[in-house]
């Protein structure tokens, strides 16, 4: 397993000074250029969630890169996929929350009818930096009265201490400091 995770990690690239000076950007997309490694990355995430041995009703993916991982995870688990989108893109009744992240701020939105109270969900994103994004997602999911089984990310930037902002369980496949 450690070798499989290392193979995923080896394809994540680091770009100094993007998108702003002083930021080292970890780029997940090169992982997707290798179909075998991306497939194994998804298999690792799916195995992890299955190993929790808890019922899951839905996977909630965060706009935009969380959609990629979320849709595949939901399909592999055989459960619903629910998107949390940046504001202004979802029709119907929604709830919103504003938040700050590593280099900016945004508003998240979810459709009220996407989840029912007491459903068990996994929240997934590509990366945890300051934790602002994941904390905002948790807030929305709790407003819908759902239970967060776990928050899952592919990359955790440990120096930014995003984990400290979260009260729910968090799993990261790889870490960077
Ligand atoms: C990035 C990343 C996470 C978030 C992490 O998304 O995909 O969602 O930032 O940062 P935080 O832990 O400091 O909140 P971004 O909002 O840049 O959007 P994108 O996925 O649409 O590119
Ligand atoms: N990589 C990708 N997305 C990000 C990063 C990063 O290093 N920091 C905040 N969002």
């Amino acid at each position: 397993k450690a070798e499989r995770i290392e193979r995923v990690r080896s394809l994540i690239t680091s770009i100094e000074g993007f998108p702003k000076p002083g930021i080292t950007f970890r780029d997940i997309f090169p992982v997707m250029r290798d179909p075998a490694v991306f497939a194994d990355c998804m298999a690792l995430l799916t195995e992890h969630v299955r190993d929790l041995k808890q019922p899951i009703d839905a996977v909630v993916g965060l706009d935009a890169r969380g959609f990629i991982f979320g849709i595949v995870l939901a399909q592999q688990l055989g459960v619903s996929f629910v998107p949390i989108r940046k504001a202004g893109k979802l029709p119907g009744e929604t709830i919103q929350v504003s938040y700050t992240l590593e280099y900016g701020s945004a508003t998240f939105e979810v459709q009220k009818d996407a989840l029912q109270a007491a459903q068990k969900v996994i929240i997934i994103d590509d990366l945890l930096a300051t934790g602002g994004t994941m904390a905002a997602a948790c807030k929305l999911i709790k407003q819908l009265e759902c239970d967060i089984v776990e928050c899952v990310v592919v990359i955790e930037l440990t120096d930014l201490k995003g984990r400290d902002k979260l009260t729910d369980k968090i799993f990261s496949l790889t870490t960077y400091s």
Side-chain angles (χ1 to χ4, degrees), residues 111-131:
Q111 286 167 317
K112 272 188 172 176
D113 62 0
L115 291 164
Q116 276 82 58
Q119 284 195 309
K120 316 264 179 246
V121 311
I122 295 285
I123 304 178
I124 188 163
D125 204 357
D126 64 324
L127 176 141
L128 184 76
T130 65

Side-chain angles (χ1 to χ4, degrees), residues 85-175:
R85 293 212 67 179
K86 305 265 168 74
K89 312 244 182 192
L90 289 170
E93 266 199 87
T94 62
I95 52 170
Q96 294 191 347
V97 64
S98 294
Y99 62 98
T100 57
L101 58 166
E102 192 181 10
Y103 35 78
S105 65
T107 301
F108 257 171
E109 198 167 35
V110 68
Q111 286 167 317
K112 272 188 172 176
D113 62 0
L115 291 164
Q116 276 82 58
Q119 284 195 309
K120 316 264 179 246
V121 311
I122 295 285
I123 304 178
I124 188 163
D125 204 357
D126 64 324
L127 176 141
L128 184 76
T130 65
T133 302
M134 190 57 85
C138 290
K139 208 166 153 185
L140 280 183
I141 294 308
K142 284 173 189 169
Q143 275 185 48
L144 293 177
E145 296 173 48
C146 289
D147 299 329
I148 300 166
V149 175
E150 193 170 66
C151 304
V152 172
V153 294
V154 183
I155 302 171
E156 177 179 2
L157 307 182
T158 52
D159 288 354
L160 294 173
K161 301 192 188 303
R163 204 173 260 277
D164 298 354
K165 221 173 256 171
L166 302 168
T167 50
D168 294 281
K169 209 174 144 216
I170 171 112
F171 168 76
S172 54
L173 191 68
T174 66
T175 58

Side-chain angles (χ1 to χ4, degrees), residues 12-20 22-28 30:
I12 296 167
T13 53
S14 301
I15 298 96
E16 300 293 337
F18 181 88
K20 290 182 182 169
I23 305 265
T24 302
F25 190 85
R26 313 291 176 174
D27 189 9
I28 191 85

Side-chain angles (χ1 to χ4, degrees), residues 4 8 13 38 40-41 45 71 91 112 116 131 135 153 157 175:
R4 292 168 63 200
V8 174
T13 53
F38 181 58
D40 200 42
C41 175
L45 296 173
I71 198 80
K112 272 188 172 176
Q116 276 82 58
V153 294
L157 307 182
T175 58

